[in-house]
Amino acid sequence: MRAKSPSARIDALRAELDHHNYLYHVRDSPKISDQAYDKLFHELKRLEAEHPDLVTPDSPTQRVGGATLEGLVTVEHTAPMRSLDSSPELAEVERFMERIAKALGDDHDIAYVCEPKLDGASLELVYEKGRLVRGVTRGDGRVGEDVTENVRTIPAVPLKLRAAKGASVPALLAVRAEVVMPIDAFEAFNEKLIAEGKEPFASPRNTAAGALRQLDPRLVAERTLDIYVYDQLQVEPAGALGATAQWEVLEVLRDFGLRVNDLPLRVTSLDEIAAYHQRLIDARDELNYEIDGVVIKLDDLAARDELGSTSHHPRWAFAFKFPPRKEITRVLEIFPSVGRTGVVTPVAMMRPVEIGGVTVARATLHNREEVARKDVRRGDKIRIQRAGDVIPQVVERIPEKGKRRKPKFKMPAKCPSCGTPLIERGPFSVCPNSFECPAQLMGRIIHFGSRYALDIEGLGEETAKMFVEHGLVKHLPDLFELRPEQLVELEGFAEKSATALVDAIAKASKTDLHRFLYGLGIPEVGNTVARDLADHFRSFEAIRNADDEVLQEVAGIGPRMSEQIVAFFEEEHNAKVLDELLAKMDLIVPEAPAEGGKLEGAKFVFTGGLETMSRDEAKRLVEAAGGKVVGSVSKATNYVVVGDKPGSKLKKAEELGVAVVDEEGFRGLVG
Ligand code: IVH
């Protein structure tokens, strides 16, 4: 039946396509053939091409945008995305249930929902008035990366919600989901990479996570991704789902057209949980997506609120992990392999074996002591296990009677890559030549330019590899000597991109002390420790010259960490390279906090993007004035600073009567 106007026909086609999409992805019961679907789709495409003014962003034709993104933008989650407490032991599950029973009072009839623990990439999806407005990676749980354009390409993600039975579409619905790559798609994708002479991915999880962070949405669309939604993060108005239990939440989310896994089960006893766990272990290899355990969630939502969360995980949920999969094979060779941080790992090359649907040919033996303890040698029969990644671990040697064995494996005295004598750090053998050893150099360059370090746009894995292979960068400081005319010689570079990268490197030579510290890749020094060190010492030389005792004055730095930091700075090659780096760089040190500053003790919350400064800069300004930046709005908050496209925090501030200022007002406050 043809509607009269193109606009009405377009509306009808969209509704029909949305409906069939829902039947296919959410209900797993398609009612029309792929060909029939394509026919409707092409009719819609044709009509939209004839009437471009009628194209809307949520039309089924508008999943794959044309433009490549410049980079990913960091955004705050509507609510923190916490992790899960976990264990593979049933006794730990029992303790979890006991804690809950105790907290809620024994008279409660406590129900739990068991769900498969999907081994993918965690994602926040935000729908405003039923329209998909944002997809954000988990990041550090508080902020993640905006990957909306990529998420839109996943066919199972509805661009708009359906009106559910008994519940109208809420003004705001933020949910938590897992993006997974189907195993068959993963294998096909890896085969293609290998055929093209490229490195295959380690696991479906890595491939999915990598796909989400691609800058070109068209490439994402190529990697058939799937999604399962499993929890609410934020709903406005509160209670709009009309659900009082997780079991109902899953049902409502499904009614809204979101894809929900069909394996969850509502239970009330430990026995049922154990049986469900075993059932999923048995079903595991039949599924077309990776799972690595069972997530047990308290069903009653009000009781969840009562229990609350620690900073790491909610008290109402627990992950009952699966034991790793095991297989038997034989060692063909053991060789030392130098990793990015200089740790030399003995790796066993094995007779290839299939384990949980993936063929593996190498396994790690971790370190010198492990090889000695397990006494694994060339030719031995071994048992290996695989957790999530393709690279498994050697569990044990399987003795064979009367078999003559090869000599013991011996760790070389010198680095197999650069010849520097290895040093022993506990059970590990380490090449101390951090910035010049060719095996470490490429990784060092990538890390130095990464997001939380110098954040050099365009300096990715491929580029770093070419720099090292073509001898353009022999040690880290060479990075600042690169010239555009050298880069244009490399594959993938033209004059414009070469100049852009050289400019980006030059610009990054002026950077925050903590970014520089983190970028050095000192063992144990992550993002947070780097910040703490920078804030405490406020000078690179002071950190470099600090001894164990002085370092341990910083909260959170213990003897293990201080020892590694001191050793890093004492190493001769490192010291030389650091001097060279410092001569080429300009480090910005944090300002001293103003004592009794006019904002002493004031708490700030930021929402939305700032125009004239980054969040990092804003935070520094607040701290320099004696204030503090916190993540969420409460009565104790003094100011909420509103930027472009503010989130729900603005509303919360208004509800609680907290002072709201814009960027200009903020500048006035901090002077
Ligand atoms: S609920 C605050 N349910 O497991 C509770 N998480 O190891 C949030 N995950 O980062 C988690 N399947 O990405 C939940 N059915 C499921 C899950 C699940 C996989 C992931 C999640 C989390 C990780 C923790």
Side-chain angles (χ1 to χ4, degrees), residues 495-516:
E495 205 174 306
K496 203 168 149 216
S497 50
T499 311
L501 180 52
V502 170
D503 286 350
I505 295 173
K507 197 168 146 233
S509 67
K510 179 169 177 173
T511 192
D512 293 320
L513 173 58
H514 70 86
R515 286 180 169 274
F516 176 68

PDB file of all heavy atoms in Angstrom, residues 495-516:
ATOM      1  N   GLU A 495      53.118  15.591   2.268  1.00  0.00           N
ATOM      2  CA  GLU A 495      53.742  16.771   2.844  1.00  0.00           C
ATOM      3  C   GLU A 495      52.934  17.314   4.025  1.00  0.00           C
ATOM      4  O   GLU A 495      53.478  17.643   5.075  1.00  0.00           O
ATOM      5  CB  GLU A 495      53.870  17.830   1.759  1.00  0.00           C
ATOM      6  CG  GLU A 495      55.003  18.798   2.054  1.00  0.00           C
ATOM      7  CD  GLU A 495      55.185  19.739   0.883  1.00  0.00           C
ATOM      8  OE1 GLU A 495      55.361  19.232  -0.248  1.00  0.00           O
ATOM      9  OE2 GLU A 495      55.131  20.961   1.104  1.00  0.00           O
ATOM     10  N   LYS A 496      51.607  17.368   3.805  1.00  0.00           N
ATOM     11  CA  LYS A 496      50.753  17.961   4.824  1.00  0.00           C
ATOM     12  C   LYS A 496      50.776  17.141   6.129  1.00  0.00           C
ATOM     13  O   LYS A 496      50.965  17.692   7.215  1.00  0.00           O
ATOM     14  CB  LYS A 496      49.326  18.043   4.282  1.00  0.00           C
ATOM     15  CG  LYS A 496      48.501  19.092   4.969  1.00  0.00           C
ATOM     16  CD  LYS A 496      47.206  19.351   4.226  1.00  0.00           C
ATOM     17  CE  LYS A 496      46.150  19.760   5.238  1.00  0.00           C
ATOM     18  NZ  LYS A 496      44.838  19.259   4.931  1.00  0.00           N
ATOM     19  N   SER A 497      50.613  15.830   5.987  1.00  0.00           N
ATOM     20  CA  SER A 497      50.566  15.003   7.202  1.00  0.00           C
ATOM     21  C   SER A 497      51.926  14.974   7.889  1.00  0.00           C
ATOM     22  O   SER A 497      52.017  14.929   9.117  1.00  0.00           O
ATOM     23  CB  SER A 497      50.088  13.588   6.868  1.00  0.00           C
ATOM     24  OG  SER A 497      50.812  13.061   5.785  1.00  0.00           O
ATOM     25  N   ALA A 498      53.007  15.013   7.100  1.00  0.00           N
ATOM     26  CA  ALA A 498      54.357  15.009   7.679  1.00  0.00           C
ATOM     27  C   ALA A 498      54.572  16.278   8.492  1.00  0.00           C
ATOM     28  O   ALA A 498      55.052  16.239   9.627  1.00  0.00           O
ATOM     29  CB  ALA A 498      55.400  14.895   6.577  1.00  0.00           C
ATOM     30  N   THR A 499      54.198  17.409   7.911  1.00  0.00           N
ATOM     31  CA  THR A 499      54.358  18.676   8.622  1.00  0.00           C
ATOM     32  C   THR A 499      53.487  18.688   9.877  1.00  0.00           C
ATOM     33  O   THR A 499      53.918  19.138  10.941  1.00  0.00           O
ATOM     34  CB  THR A 499      53.950  19.854   7.704  1.00  0.00           C
ATOM     35  OG1 THR A 499      54.613  19.665   6.465  1.00  0.00           O
ATOM     36  CG2 THR A 499      54.342  21.185   8.303  1.00  0.00           C
ATOM     37  N   ALA A 500      52.267  18.166   9.739  1.00  0.00           N
ATOM     38  CA  ALA A 500      51.349  18.167  10.882  1.00  0.00           C
ATOM     39  C   ALA A 500      51.935  17.367  12.047  1.00  0.00           C
ATOM     40  O   ALA A 500      51.889  17.800  13.197  1.00  0.00           O
ATOM     41  CB  ALA A 500      49.998  17.590  10.475  1.00  0.00           C
ATOM     42  N   LEU A 501      52.532  16.226  11.740  1.00  0.00           N
ATOM     43  CA  LEU A 501      53.077  15.402  12.812  1.00  0.00           C
ATOM     44  C   LEU A 501      54.294  16.075  13.454  1.00  0.00           C
ATOM     45  O   LEU A 501      54.424  16.118  14.680  1.00  0.00           O
ATOM     46  CB  LEU A 501      53.431  13.999  12.303  1.00  0.00           C
ATOM     47  CG  LEU A 501      54.014  13.045  13.341  1.00  0.00           C
ATOM     48  CD1 LEU A 501      53.134  12.965  14.580  1.00  0.00           C
ATOM     49  CD2 LEU A 501      54.203  11.651  12.761  1.00  0.00           C
ATOM     50  N   VAL A 502      55.181  16.620  12.620  1.00  0.00           N
ATOM     51  CA  VAL A 502      56.357  17.308  13.165  1.00  0.00           C
ATOM     52  C   VAL A 502      55.916  18.483  14.044  1.00  0.00           C
ATOM     53  O   VAL A 502      56.439  18.695  15.139  1.00  0.00           O
ATOM     54  CB  VAL A 502      57.300  17.772  12.027  1.00  0.00           C
ATOM     55  CG1 VAL A 502      58.385  18.700  12.557  1.00  0.00           C
ATOM     56  CG2 VAL A 502      57.928  16.552  11.360  1.00  0.00           C
ATOM     57  N   ASP A 503      54.878  19.193  13.594  1.00  0.00           N
ATOM     58  CA  ASP A 503      54.357  20.310  14.401  1.00  0.00           C
ATOM     59  C   ASP A 503      53.781  19.801  15.719  1.00  0.00           C
ATOM     60  O   ASP A 503      53.987  20.407  16.769  1.00  0.00           O
ATOM     61  CB  ASP A 503      53.256  21.061  13.639  1.00  0.00           C
ATOM     62  CG  ASP A 503      53.839  21.912  12.513  1.00  0.00           C
ATOM     63  OD1 ASP A 503      55.090  22.046  12.476  1.00  0.00           O
ATOM     64  OD2 ASP A 503      53.059  22.407  11.676  1.00  0.00           O
ATOM     65  N   ALA A 504      53.043  18.686  15.632  1.00  0.00           N
ATOM     66  CA  ALA A 504      52.416  18.139  16.847  1.00  0.00           C
ATOM     67  C   ALA A 504      53.486  17.734  17.855  1.00  0.00           C
ATOM     68  O   ALA A 504      53.347  17.944  19.057  1.00  0.00           O
ATOM     69  CB  ALA A 504      51.527  16.951  16.498  1.00  0.00           C
ATOM     70  N   ILE A 505      54.585  17.166  17.344  1.00  0.00           N
ATOM     71  CA  ILE A 505      55.675  16.755  18.244  1.00  0.00           C
ATOM     72  C   ILE A 505      56.311  17.988  18.889  1.00  0.00           C
ATOM     73  O   ILE A 505      56.554  18.030  20.092  1.00  0.00           O
ATOM     74  CB  ILE A 505      56.722  15.907  17.492  1.00  0.00           C
ATOM     75  CG1 ILE A 505      56.097  14.598  17.017  1.00  0.00           C
ATOM     76  CG2 ILE A 505      57.935  15.625  18.383  1.00  0.00           C
ATOM     77  CD1 ILE A 505      56.984  13.756  16.110  1.00  0.00           C
ATOM     78  N   ALA A 506      56.536  19.004  18.059  1.00  0.00           N
ATOM     79  CA  ALA A 506      57.153  20.226  18.580  1.00  0.00           C
ATOM     80  C   ALA A 506      56.264  20.843  19.654  1.00  0.00           C
ATOM     81  O   ALA A 506      56.734  21.270  20.708  1.00  0.00           O
ATOM     82  CB  ALA A 506      57.383  21.221  17.443  1.00  0.00           C
ATOM     83  N   LYS A 507      54.960  20.869  19.393  1.00  0.00           N
ATOM     84  CA  LYS A 507      54.020  21.463  20.335  1.00  0.00           C
ATOM     85  C   LYS A 507      54.028  20.679  21.657  1.00  0.00           C
ATOM     86  O   LYS A 507      53.978  21.255  22.742  1.00  0.00           O
ATOM     87  CB  LYS A 507      52.621  21.452  19.718  1.00  0.00           C
ATOM     88  CG  LYS A 507      51.668  22.377  20.411  1.00  0.00           C
ATOM     89  CD  LYS A 507      50.392  22.561  19.593  1.00  0.00           C
ATOM     90  CE  LYS A 507      49.216  22.731  20.542  1.00  0.00           C
ATOM     91  NZ  LYS A 507      48.131  21.811  20.283  1.00  0.00           N
ATOM     92  N   ALA A 508      54.146  19.354  21.523  1.00  0.00           N
ATOM     93  CA  ALA A 508      54.095  18.500  22.718  1.00  0.00           C
ATOM     94  C   ALA A 508      55.366  18.601  23.545  1.00  0.00           C
ATOM     95  O   ALA A 508      55.428  18.083  24.653  1.00  0.00           O
ATOM     96  CB  ALA A 508      53.845  17.054  22.308  1.00  0.00           C
ATOM     97  N   SER A 509      56.397  19.276  23.014  1.00  0.00           N
ATOM     98  CA  SER A 509      57.632  19.382  23.793  1.00  0.00           C
ATOM     99  C   SER A 509      57.408  20.280  25.007  1.00  0.00           C
ATOM    100  O   SER A 509      58.156  20.248  25.964  1.00  0.00           O
ATOM    101  CB  SER A 509      58.779  19.920  22.936  1.00  0.00           C
ATOM    102  OG  SER A 509      58.504  21.251  22.583  1.00  0.00           O
ATOM    103  N   LYS A 510      56.354  21.095  24.942  1.00  0.00           N
ATOM    104  CA  LYS A 510      55.963  21.835  26.144  1.00  0.00           C
ATOM    105  C   LYS A 510      54.797  21.071  26.753  1.00  0.00           C
ATOM    106  O   LYS A 510      53.709  21.003  26.174  1.00  0.00           O
ATOM    107  CB  LYS A 510      55.553  23.251  25.769  1.00  0.00           C
ATOM    108  CG  LYS A 510      55.119  24.044  26.969  1.00  0.00           C
ATOM    109  CD  LYS A 510      54.957  25.513  26.672  1.00  0.00           C
ATOM    110  CE  LYS A 510      54.438  26.187  27.947  1.00  0.00           C
ATOM    111  NZ  LYS A 510      54.382  27.615  27.855  1.00  0.00           N
ATOM    112  N   THR A 511      55.035  20.491  27.901  1.00  0.00           N
ATOM    113  CA  THR A 511      53.978  19.648  28.466  1.00  0.00           C
ATOM    114  C   THR A 511      54.022  19.668  29.983  1.00  0.00           C
ATOM    115  O   THR A 511      55.001  20.130  30.587  1.00  0.00           O
ATOM    116  CB  THR A 511      54.114  18.197  27.929  1.00  0.00           C
ATOM    117  OG1 THR A 511      52.938  17.472  28.256  1.00  0.00           O
ATOM    118  CG2 THR A 511      55.308  17.482  28.553  1.00  0.00           C
ATOM    119  N   ASP A 512      52.945  19.146  30.582  1.00  0.00           N
ATOM    120  CA  ASP A 512      52.886  19.092  32.044  1.00  0.00           C
ATOM    121  C   ASP A 512      53.892  18.087  32.583  1.00  0.00           C
ATOM    122  O   ASP A 512      54.082  17.021  31.997  1.00  0.00           O
ATOM    123  CB  ASP A 512      51.497  18.652  32.492  1.00  0.00           C
ATOM    124  CG  ASP A 512      50.451  19.685  32.153  1.00  0.00           C
ATOM    125  OD1 ASP A 512      50.757  20.880  32.317  1.00  0.00           O
ATOM    126  OD2 ASP A 512      49.359  19.300  31.713  1.00  0.00           O
ATOM    127  N   LEU A 513      54.455  18.414  33.721  1.00  0.00           N
ATOM    128  CA  LEU A 513      55.410  17.516  34.364  1.00  0.00           C
ATOM    129  C   LEU A 513      54.844  16.106  34.528  1.00  0.00           C
ATOM    130  O   LEU A 513      55.520  15.113  34.231  1.00  0.00           O
ATOM    131  CB  LEU A 513      55.800  18.109  35.734  1.00  0.00           C
ATOM    132  CG  LEU A 513      56.658  17.233  36.642  1.00  0.00           C
ATOM    133  CD1 LEU A 513      57.952  16.840  35.959  1.00  0.00           C
ATOM    134  CD2 LEU A 513      56.965  17.969  37.958  1.00  0.00           C
ATOM    135  N   HIS A 514      53.588  16.004  34.948  1.00  0.00           N
ATOM    136  CA  HIS A 514      53.044  14.661  35.202  1.00  0.00           C
ATOM    137  C   HIS A 514      52.887  13.865  33.916  1.00  0.00           C
ATOM    138  O   HIS A 514      53.044  12.656  33.890  1.00  0.00           O
ATOM    139  CB  HIS A 514      51.727  14.739  35.988  1.00  0.00           C
ATOM    140  CG  HIS A 514      50.568  15.293  35.233  1.00  0.00           C
ATOM    141  ND1 HIS A 514      49.761  14.527  34.442  1.00  0.00           N
ATOM    142  CD2 HIS A 514      50.087  16.561  35.151  1.00  0.00           C
ATOM    143  CE1 HIS A 514      48.823  15.291  33.914  1.00  0.00           C
ATOM    144  NE2 HIS A 514      49.003  16.524  34.314  1.00  0.00           N
ATOM    145  N   ARG A 515      52.596  14.548  32.814  1.00  0.00           N
ATOM    146  CA  ARG A 515      52.464  13.856  31.531  1.00  0.00           C
ATOM    147  C   ARG A 515      53.833  13.311  31.086  1.00  0.00           C
ATOM    148  O   ARG A 515      53.944  12.201  30.595  1.00  0.00           O
ATOM    149  CB  ARG A 515      51.936  14.814  30.455  1.00  0.00           C
ATOM    150  CG  ARG A 515      50.472  15.116  30.625  1.00  0.00           C
ATOM    151  CD  ARG A 515      50.012  16.065  29.542  1.00  0.00           C
ATOM    152  NE  ARG A 515      48.575  16.166  29.537  1.00  0.00           N
ATOM    153  CZ  ARG A 515      47.760  15.339  28.878  1.00  0.00           C
ATOM    154  NH1 ARG A 515      48.275  14.373  28.126  1.00  0.00           N
ATOM    155  NH2 ARG A 515      46.471  15.471  28.939  1.00  0.00           N
ATOM    156  N   PHE A 516      54.844  14.129  31.275  1.00  0.00           N
ATOM    157  CA  PHE A 516      56.198  13.719  30.917  1.00  0.00           C
ATOM    158  C   PHE A 516      56.608  12.499  31.745  1.00  0.00           C
ATOM    159  O   PHE A 516      57.082  11.494  31.217  1.00  0.00           O
ATOM    160  CB  PHE A 516      57.147  14.893  31.157  1.00  0.00           C
ATOM    161  CG  PHE A 516      58.598  14.571  30.921  1.00  0.00           C
ATOM    162  CD1 PHE A 516      59.076  14.304  29.642  1.00  0.00           C
ATOM    163  CD2 PHE A 516      59.494  14.531  31.983  1.00  0.00           C
ATOM    164  CE1 PHE A 516      60.419  13.998  29.426  1.00  0.00           C
ATOM    165  CE2 PHE A 516      60.834  14.233  31.775  1.00  0.00           C
ATOM    166  CZ  PHE A 516      61.291  13.966  30.497  1.00  0.00           C
TER     167      PHE A 516
END
